[in-house]
Amino acid sequence: MRSLKTQLSLAFMLVVLITVSIISFFSNTLVSSQFESYITKTQTQRTDHILSDLSLQYNSFTHTWNINAVRTVGMDALEEGYIIKVYNRVGENIWDAENHDMTECKHIMDDITSRMKEYGATGNFASHKYTLTQNGQEIGSVTVSYFGPYFLTEGDFDFISSLNTMLMIVGVSSLLFSFIAGLILARRIARPVTKTAEIAGQIAAGKYDIQFESGTKMKELLDLVSSVNHLANALSKQENLRKRLTADVAHELRTPLAALGTHTEAMIDGIWQPTPARLKSCHEEILRLGKMVMDLERLERADSDNLKLDKTLTDLLALTRSVCENFAGELSNKNLRLDIDGMPAVVSIDKDRTGGVIGNLMSNAVKYTSKGGHIQISVRETDSEVVLTIEDSGAGIPENELPFIFERFYRADKSRNRNTGGAGIGLAIVKSVIAAHGGTVVAQSKPNKGSKFVVTFPKSI
Ligand code: ADP
């Protein structure tokens, strides 16, 4: 397994290697073709030059050639790789580079041939015959031999090889830079990733109270770090909830069990007479325990994961009215006023479970609103959802308790709740059922002014 650092550095180097190779290939091809056409053109110019230089060496009055000057032209040409033979008007040879300096000619020809072979060009020395004229009169002829179709002088050759050396230097230094850049970048990426992996490992080992800063500026890595932080947070919350749940269940069970234990013990020991009143009190404790177990079962069933909904098109307003009818007795006992308004709103919901939700919210409103209070229910419809609002003028919920009331076994005011008798499960069930419908439930409250629960059901589901 290769590390991220190695992989990134290698990838960087590969990219640079490919780029430099492509650049080298194209620049070489381009330079070669440009160079060849330039050199071919220069050769023609050079030949023209030799011809005109030679023509100037003929004296048309004396009909003689200046052999010394012809030799100078011939030697200059030879230096540049052109081997010439000059003939007069009647075809007699007046100067021949090979006759003049055989060794030099051979040396130059070998030099050019080997250089061109090294360059990779195919070709050989070929002779081209030209007529020499002066003022339109034929004065002789010349044979020019040179390496064709074109050849490179030593200067040209140096130019091409220094170009290649430069490309080599650029290539090697780019490779080096890319390797360093790759390493730096890889380290920047790898470090937060390694750190995140390390933190994730700690989370897996059960250490949730960690939040860390990655020190990176890369968006994806920041997202990763914040996801891991969220994960730690969520797990820590779950863990706390689980602990509290266990503690709460134990606490809830302990009180009735202790009462039952002492009462029955007293009766067995004969300290207490088993009067119907005492047995009734024991029976009530047993009923409370039974209710708690039932609540726990209800909660388990309402868990949105295994909650099966039996949806039908239902008018939420009508359903609300019918559920509220069951509270007529309690409402009049506490002298509470109930107002329900809104328009019929048909939505696809599980009628029984939604009825349960409304019952729960209504029962809380009744429970936590003192005598003479007011409960206001409304059903509204928007383009995409149906909204049910249940508002009471009761005790309200302290702001710091609001985020927790939908959690299992959460009770905002424990002492108050002892009297009202709830176990803190109702709202947890409400939330599960509504979540299973794809809806939402939120609570707003001002202590001593009242609470408002807003439930939304999406129309599309
Ligand atoms: P409980 O069975 O204790 O009523 P719930 O889950 O229904 O449990 O509610 C959780 C807590 O939220 C309650 O203990 C109570 O403190 C608070 N609560 C819920 N509804 C209201 C309300 N309408 N007014 C004031 N407090 C409320």
Side-chain angles (χ1 to χ4, degrees):
M1 235 180 354
R2 278 202 215 120
S3 75
L4 184 66
K5 215 153 77 180
T6 325
Q7 294 229 22
L8 266 177
S9 301
L10 284 179
F12 250 66
M13 283 175 73
L14 192 71
V15 169
V16 169
L17 199 71
I18 292 171
T19 317
V20 171
S21 314
I22 291 174
I23 291 176
S24 304
F25 175 75
F26 279 108
S27 58
N28 254 305
T29 327
L30 202 75
V31 166
S32 302
S33 73
Q34 291 286 329
F35 217 65
E36 279 162 27
S37 73
Y38 158 76
I39 282 172
T40 319
K41 216 158 82 196
T42 321
Q43 263 168 358
T44 324
Q45 280 172 357
R46 188 67 195 115
T47 324
D48 288 348
H49 224 97
I50 294 171
L51 295 186
S52 68
D53 275 357
L54 283 175
S55 301
L56 287 175
Q57 312 315 324
Y58 182 71
N59 188 328
S60 55
F61 295 108
T62 57
H63 298 290
T64 52
W65 286 87
N66 181 347
I67 296 296
N68 275 343
V70 168
R71 189 180 59 229
T72 316
V73 175
M75 288 309 285
D76 283 352
L78 181 62
E79 287 291 309
E80 290 170 32
Y82 299 85
I83 298 156
I84 62 170
K85 286 187 171 81
V86 187
Y87 302 90
N88 64 13
R89 208 159 26 150
V90 289
E92 290 164 351
N93 184 266
I94 53 170
W95 195 80
D96 183 342
E98 279 177 89
N99 279 350
H100 181 78
D101 194 338
M102 184 75 174
T103 14
E104 178 69 5
C105 275
K106 190 154 172 13
H107 172 70
I108 285 179
M109 281 168 80
D110 286 350
D111 219 30
I112 291 177
T113 314
S114 71
R115 201 188 303 141
M116 289 311 286
K117 257 204 197 118
E118 193 184 317
Y119 181 63
T122 49
N124 48 9
F125 271 85
S127 303
H128 308 266
K129 192 166 178 165
Y130 304 94
T131 312
L132 293 171
T133 55
Q134 198 180 63
N135 301 327
Q137 297 284 317
E138 187 180 330
I139 52 166
S141 63
V142 61
T143 314
V144 186
S145 303
Y146 56 81
F147 192 93
Y150 70 93
F151 68 91
L152 303 176
T153 63
E154 216 169 319
D156 302 334
F157 205 71
D158 284 351
F159 171 76
I160 287 182
S161 68
S162 57
L163 180 81
N164 280 331
T165 318
M166 196 187 73
L167 281 173
M168 277 284 280
I169 293 172
V170 169
V172 171
S173 49
S174 314
L175 268 184
L176 203 75
F177 279 129
S178 69
F179 180 69
I180 295 168
L183 270 186
I184 293 173
L185 186 75
R187 188 174 290 188
R188 277 204 191 155
I189 296 175
R191 203 180 285 167
V193 171
T194 318
K195 180 96 200 275
T196 314
E198 200 181 288
I199 298 286
Q202 289 186 27
I203 293 173
K207 198 172 163 222
Y208 304 135
D209 55 341
I210 31 176
Q211 291 290 313
F212 74 107
E213 299 269 328
S214 65
T216 177
K217 286 196 176 68
M218 281 177 227
K219 189 185 168 297
E220 288 77 2
L221 290 178
L222 274 176
D223 287 350
L224 175 69
V225 168
S226 85
S227 298
V228 172
N229 277 337
H230 265 119
L231 179 70
N233 221 325
L235 283 172
S236 153
K237 264 194 190 155
Q238 280 296 321
E239 174 77 357
N240 284 339
L241 200 64
R242 190 181 61 78
K243 280 187 186 149
R244 212 174 56 210
L245 184 81
T246 322
D248 280 355
V249 171
H251 182 260
E252 290 303 314
L253 290 176
R254 198 182 305 123
T255 325
L257 280 177
L260 268 178
T262 45
H263 289 185
T264 45
E265 195 180 4
M267 284 188 252
I268 291 165
D269 292 349
I271 302 167
W272 269 12
Q273 285 304 309
T275 59
R278 284 177 179 147
L279 286 174
K280 191 169 173 256
S281 148
C282 287
H283 186 237
E284 273 169 9
E285 292 298 341
I286 291 169
L287 287 182
R288 266 185 73 182
L289 282 172
K291 190 172 169 289
M292 253 191 80
V293 172
M294 244 167 61
D295 273 354
L296 282 170
E297 277 171 357
R298 267 201 316 151
L299 183 64
E300 154 65 21
R301 272 204 305 275
D303 233 331
S304 43
D305 288 345
N306 47 29
L307 187 65
K308 288 227 161 37
L309 297 178
D310 177 17
K311 287 198 213 168
T312 47
L313 285 175
T314 311
D315 174 9
L316 194 64
L317 183 65
L319 179 66
T320 309
R321 284 193 199 284
S322 91
V323 172
C324 286
E325 271 165 24
N326 301 332
F327 288 88
E330 289 173 62
L331 287 169
S332 73
N333 278 348
K334 287 184 87 173
N335 192 22
L336 298 173
R337 197 180 82 207
L338 171 69
D339 286 319
I340 303 175
D341 67 38
M343 301 287 281
V346 178
V347 64
S348 169
I349 47 176
D350 184 316
K351 199 172 168 184
D352 288 344
R353 290 191 189 270
T354 310
V357 164
I358 301 170
N360 253 316
L361 293 174
M362 187 58 193
S363 132
N364 278 349
V366 171
K367 229 187 314 185
Y368 300 112
T369 306
S370 39
K371 285 187 176 167
H374 177 217
I375 298 171
Q376 171 77 45
I377 299 183
S378 80
V379 176
R380 279 184 298 111
E381 203 172 338
T382 69
D383 285 347
S384 56
E385 51 198 22
V386 173
V387 185
L388 167 77
T389 317
I390 300 183
E391 194 170 359
D392 63 58
S393 64
I397 307 156
E399 203 178 319
N400 58 336
E401 311 270 2
L402 260 183
F404 307 108
I405 56 167
F406 291 101
E407 286 175 9
R408 297 160 186 200
F409 293 104
Y410 195 85
R411 294 173 318 192
D413 181 342
K414 303 209 173 186
S415 58
R416 184 181 74 199
N417 230 268
R418 286 254 159 269
N419 306 323
T420 45
I425 287 176
L427 286 182
I429 295 174
V430 164
K431 193 170 179 185
S432 302
V433 171
I434 292 174
H437 278 89
T440 58
V441 53
V442 287
Q444 300 159 359
S445 177
K446 285 221 172 68
N448 301 324
K449 289 242 167 73
S451 319
K452 182 174 171 183
F453 286 81
V454 183
V455 180
T456 59
F457 291 101
K459 278 182 173 175
S460 52
I461 299 180

